[in-house]
């Protein structure tokens, strides 16, 4: 039978509760998850303009990395969506974060993309 691989974001991590940017918080969570799990996780795409200026106060002791990430994302001023993608050649996961959007039809009948609040 094949060995079961660990789920990197389920790895319990500890980060101090303090105020920092969402970018710094997510970066710390990813680094701690990598360190504790032994699986490389790095940044993929991200909306720098949103996460670099929004401050959060997130922390915990022996909390799943996924829970800390979700708490950080839920505190953002707009809805966000994330994906964790595997690059098997590099044996690395890439954390991608984006603003959540949907398509609506404006008053002229044109389809436009709007950010979810």
């Amino acid at each position: 039978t094949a060995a079961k691989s660990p789920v990197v974001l389920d790895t319990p991590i500890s980060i101090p509760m303090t105020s920092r940017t969402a970018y710094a918080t997510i970066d710390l969570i990813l680094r701690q998850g990598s360190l504790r799990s032994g699986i490389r996780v790095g940044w993929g795409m991200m909306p720098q303009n949103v996460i670099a200026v929004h401050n959060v106060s997130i922390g915990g002791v022996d909390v799943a990395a996924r829970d800390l990430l979700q708490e950080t994302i839920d505190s953002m001023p707009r809805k966000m969506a994330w994906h964790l993608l595997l690059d098997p050649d590099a044996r690395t996961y890439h954390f991608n974060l984006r603003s959540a959007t949907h398509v609506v039809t404006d008053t002229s009948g044109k389809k436009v993309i709007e950010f979810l609040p």
Side-chain angles (χ1 to χ4, degrees):
T1 62
K4 187 176 181 180
S5 63
V7 180
V8 66
L9 292 182
D10 290 340
T11 302
I13 64 170
S14 298
I15 63 170
M17 173 70 80
T18 189
S19 179
R20 59 180 88 75
T21 65
Y23 175 86
T25 301
I26 293 170
D27 190 61
L28 181 58
I29 293 166
L30 297 179
R31 285 188 288 116
Q32 287 298 312
S34 293
L35 185 67
R36 295 283 306 268
S37 70
I39 301 168
R40 287 185 291 184
V41 182
W43 280 102
M45 302 292 287
M46 71 184 122
Q48 289 182 346
N49 57 334
V50 177
I51 65 174
V53 299
H54 182 70
N55 286 319
V56 298
S57 292
I58 305 291
V61 176
D62 290 328
V63 179
R66 175 188 318 275
D67 295 340
L68 292 169
L69 278 171
Q70 194 61 56
E71 187 177 348
T72 304
I73 292 165
D74 287 346
S75 75
M76 300 299 292
R78 68 169 61 136
K79 291 186 190 233
M80 307 294 273
W82 62 270
H83 304 277
L84 190 65
L85 303 175
L86 174 64
D87 178 346
D89 294 331
R91 295 179 153 188
T92 301
Y93 283 95
H94 298 281
F95 179 78
N96 293 280
L97 183 66
R98 65 176 179 82
S99 296
T101 59
H102 66 148
V103 176
V104 297
T105 304
D106 68 13
T107 55
S108 68
K110 181 180 175 185
K111 292 194 182 287
V112 295
I113 297 173
E114 285 186 349
F115 291 114
L116 293 175

